[in-house]
Amino acid sequence: MFPPSYRTLDSPGRRRFLAGLGGLWLLAGLGLGPSPVAAGLEPQRLRRVMQAQYGAPGVAALEAWFALLERLRPTDLETRLREVNDFFNRRVRWLDDIDIWRQEDYWATPLETLGRGEGDCEDFTIAKYVTLKELGVPEDQLRLIYVRARIGRSSLTQAHMVLGYYETAAADPLVLDNLVPSITRGSRRTDLDPLFSFNGRGLWAAGSSRSRADPVVRLSRWRRVIDRMQQQGFIQGE
């Protein structure tokens, strides 16, 4: 695993994004309902897009991902969580968006992350989320969690994203992180302060078990990732 080098909360892209979250909770009373996301892989389409964008090395990475899916389908939940976490932590090199995409804050699809073999915390988290959904883990039990991560023993905090697995909506989640190899309960990650979490169907304030808004509508980066996944073959059109 490569050493982390987070962008700080003062990074312009993340500062604007996190500042805009305050307005999300004002929408709680508007009765927004979740927007279901159509699912289902199109393997041949994924192969064509990967070949066109990243060539043979990208296709090899995609085939390794397909093989992971086949190997893990008959396994138990604990094995799926552990193996998916390890697969991306070992295969993908951590790198800042500005170095990969020449953008302040770009959320990559799993195809883009596998094709480049590089990504930042959002990219690791999105890839693990999509993979576990494909392996049959219910979407309601998975959330992408934005946190402030404390650095060592200092008071400095930096923006970070992890994936949480929730047995129930109010459960202490299991945390899948690209910085810590072992999967641990959220209550044991005292270095992480949750800000909000979301998946394809809901968006939650930290500490809340009730969804407050439609993430596809309110999070433009998430909407753009879903649009590109549909174009690439991760999500079949309705």
Side-chain angles (χ1 to χ4, degrees):
M1 189 165 57
F2 292 80
S5 177
Y6 299 143
R7 284 163 297 169
T8 68
L9 290 172
D10 288 331
S11 172
R14 285 197 177 180
R15 188 172 64 246
R16 288 192 296 270
F17 178 67
L18 293 172
L21 291 174
L24 290 176
W25 316 124
L26 298 178
L27 299 170
L30 298 183
L32 292 175
S35 296
V37 178
L41 293 180
E42 298 180 86
Q44 293 309 315
R45 187 174 184 181
L46 284 164
R47 289 184 175 102
R48 289 194 300 271
V49 173
M50 183 67 91
Q51 177 66 45
Q53 294 188 8
Y54 300 103
V59 173
L62 182 63
E63 294 299 341
W65 184 71
F66 286 146
L68 177 79
L69 294 177
E70 290 306 308
R71 179 168 61 83
L72 293 183
R73 288 192 197 282
T75 62
D76 58 29
L77 175 65
E78 181 181 355
T79 300
R80 293 180 188 188
L81 293 175
R82 183 183 66 250
E83 293 292 325
V84 168
N85 194 52
D86 290 346
F87 178 84
F88 288 102
N89 287 356
R90 292 172 178 170
R91 179 171 288 272
V92 178
R93 176 178 180 241
W94 194 98
L95 201 63
D96 203 327
D97 283 337
I98 200 69
D99 298 312
I100 303 172
W101 303 104
R102 302 296 184 262
Q103 296 183 33
E104 284 284 349
D105 200 7
Y106 181 87
W107 292 12
T109 70
L111 184 142
E112 294 162 346
T113 299
L114 287 168
R116 286 184 173 267
E118 300 168 334
D120 72 352
C121 59
E122 291 97 346
D123 306 331
F124 280 89
T125 303
I126 291 167
K128 293 172 187 179
Y129 169 81
V130 171
T131 303
L132 288 168
K133 276 188 60 183
E134 182 60 25
L135 287 169
V137 179
E139 183 174 43
D140 290 345
Q141 294 182 298
L142 296 170
R143 297 187 203 170
L144 301 89
I145 310 171
Y146 238 125
V147 301
R148 285 191 178 94
R150 286 187 296 281
I151 309 305
R153 298 175 181 271
S154 72
S155 60
L156 296 176
T157 61
Q158 299 175 331
H160 186 44
M161 184 184 281
V162 298
L163 181 65
Y165 169 77
Y166 293 75
E167 291 94 339
T168 66
D172 182 11
L174 293 169
V175 175
L176 286 68
D177 192 349
N178 64 294
L179 301 178
V180 177
S182 60
I183 297 174
T184 58
R185 290 283 176 187
S187 59
R188 298 183 61 187
R189 292 297 305 273
T190 56
D191 58 317
L192 305 180
D193 295 324
L195 297 172
F196 73 100
S197 61
F198 65 98
N199 58 25
R201 295 180 177 273
L203 186 142
W204 294 264
S208 174
S209 61
R210 179 182 176 184
S211 174
R212 310 298 297 272
D214 181 348
V216 179
V217 171
R218 302 310 309 170
L219 300 177
S220 60
R221 290 177 176 84
W222 185 228
R223 182 170 63 250
R224 287 195 290 269
V225 169
I226 290 173
D227 288 345
R228 292 201 312 282
M229 284 197 292
Q230 183 166 331
Q231 294 165 9
Q232 292 168 356
F234 282 100
I235 303 170
Q236 294 178 359
E238 295 180 293

